[in-house]
Amino acid sequence: MSNIIVLPLIVPVITAILLVFMRENVLLQRIISLLTLVFVAIISIVLLMEIQVQGVMRIDFSGWLPPFGISFVADSFAVLLVFVANIVAAICVLYAIFTIGERYEKMYFYSFTLLMIAGVNGSFLTGDIFNLFVCFEVMLLASYALISLGGEKIQLREALKYVLINIVASWIFLVALAFLYGTVGTLNMAHIAVRVMEAGNDPLITTVALIFLIVFSLKAGLLLFFWLPGSYSVPPTAIAALFAALLTKVGIYALIRTFTLLFTNNTEVTHTVLGVMAGLTIIAGCMGALAGRDVRTIASYNVLIGVGFIVAGLAIGTESALQGVTYYLMHDMVAKAMLFLAVGMMIYLTGETVIDKMSGLIRNYPVFGWMFFIVMCSLAGIPPLSGFLGKVLIGQGAIEGGNFVLLGLGFLSSLIVLYSLLRIFLSSFFGETIISLEDEKPLPRRVELPVILLALCTIALGIGAEWMSPYITDAAETLHTPSIYIDAVLDGAKWQGEVNE
Amino acid sequence: MESLILVLVGVLVAVATYLILSKQLLRVILGTAVLSHAAHLLILTMGGLKKGGVPLIGESEGPYTDALPQALILTAIVISFAVTAFVLVLGYRAYKMNGTGNFDELRGTPDE
């Protein structure tokens, strides 16, 4: 039964390769890629149910038992993220089908997207830190290709910066891996956790933890994010939405995994640094969102505020904060994809990017206008939409943990998110319309459909919170008590003896 | 032996940093290639250089040399080849499209 853990990685890879041979048959490519993503989402629901019954699951490739082989570990946290990531990806692909055009579709757009999803799913599920690096690289190589797809001047320029930043980050990842392997002599994450706990307050391990912090911050867009607004604004809308929804989240996932499971000894140092970085990211993101006049810039800085807020929850680290982190991470994937799709549609409809030059869109496109209103409320955290509960839980954790600075920053940032998006809403959607009836570009219902689907997702996440709560509680419990994960991977007493030798 | 290799890693990092900080696109790409090789050497060294026999049962009595770092850098080298090949192509296209390989000129104009 546990064999199905590998499907979220392997199915997208296989279909991506098959799609390469179907280059001319665009219709088939569309159908297969959508089916794949939906299939993986269904698999993750099955996994989620199974985990509630038999606890954290794992699969050892070729029967090499941990800590020697490579294994995939599925706990509720990882599987929930796989589920949401694939749903969001399916909706973004749906949007791409309607909008991106045959030129992109014949340039292997679907293959690259599926490979990127495979990397994302692999990063969520892997239980081996070197395998995490490999999955990261799979995801990044596909994203390099996607960001430069189309080959326009500005795309190539931004792609170069994005690629170079990520190569340097990957290099630091390798250095951190080298030092970690030299210090604890293992790569299995659960086994590393055991060894690190045995080593106690070793300064070398703290240093390694801080190097990992730098690497994953670069990938997640925490503090060292200067590449992000540029590179997220150049690709076509569907790709930008995929990036905003998934890429930074994988970095955040890695941060959460590393700092709840691996490096839990010296929290005064590591979690303080995390908290400071999260706070600074929130502040910088807010300043960018307030200063931006370009809708894409404002949307990109909103990504950063989200990253800062989630990592603030991680830095607080109490169980309710971790519940909030899980919930908010899922919400953020949905809401950021929706925001980027909405922004892309605004640019498509008006041909402008600066907010002052658009006006009265809601007269011509009422449904789309109210969709933007929903995403604004959702990101600001207004109930019953999905942002609310995550913010409440993180806030509750901050009060329990006495982290009042982060609490204040987090909630002030909600106001600034609301203000920055309200500014777009008021100046671009309300007011006199600038588009005359003759110039009005038709907006077919099917193009609006993906945005409506995402809106339904965010409403469902908010209203269905009660139904989601057992899974989220389980995810947070596993994160808060690393021994559950460690026992599940190292098979309790059976391997403990040999491991400790 | 380890210290010698570590010095080599340091030299490679220094060279790579110098190359990456330059303004020419091609030099930066070469710099990243050198940088990744420095990282591979570091992994090999941190895992311990050859200390025992071949890690094959029946071939030697043990203690065995740790084979894992070699497996790791094998993967890492393949990835760095792929990335370097991709960046070279990307750099070539960017050079053709923008007509320059100088990062100062690649910055672009804000109104674009």
Side-chain angles (χ1 to χ4, degrees), chain A residues 309-347:
Chain A
F309 192 70
I310 297 171
V311 177
L314 171 64
I316 293 162
T318 59
E319 189 159 348
S320 55
L322 287 173
Q323 278 179 15
V325 165
T326 314
Y327 194 80
Y328 200 82
L329 206 51
M330 292 160 65
H331 146 77
D332 208 51
M333 284 188 192
V334 175
K336 287 286 147 56
M338 192 170 162
L339 178 66
F340 269 72
L341 287 187
V343 162
M345 276 165 77
M346 285 170 68
I347 296 171

Side-chain angles (χ1 to χ4, degrees), chain A residues 137 140 144 161-171 219:
Chain A
E137 286 304 306
L140 287 173
Y144 300 159
K161 291 171 200 162
Y162 175 74
V163 173
L164 289 173
I165 290 272
N166 274 304
I167 290 178
V168 175
S170 299
W171 173 76
K219 311 262 184 198

Side-chain angles (χ1 to χ4, degrees), chain A residues 53-124:
Chain A
V53 180
Q54 46 172 288
V56 180
M57 292 161 68
R58 68 151 210 273
I59 173 174
D60 311 315
F61 292 127
S62 351
W64 285 86
L65 289 172
F68 300 111
I70 291 172
S71 50
F72 264 24
V73 182
D75 62 347
S76 295
F77 180 58
V79 176
L80 277 173
L81 293 184
V82 171
F83 172 65
V84 180
N86 282 280
I87 292 287
V88 170
I91 296 173
C92 288
V93 165
L94 192 68
Y95 185 82
I97 288 173
F98 297 140
T99 57
I100 205 160
E102 211 159 287
R103 178 164 160 262
Y104 276 92
E105 289 177 305
K106 287 195 174 166
M107 282 193 286
Y108 309 109
F109 166 74
Y110 296 114
S111 294
F112 286 129
T113 309
L114 286 175
L115 282 174
M116 194 179 96
I117 300 298
V120 170
N121 290 343
S123 311
F124 287 152

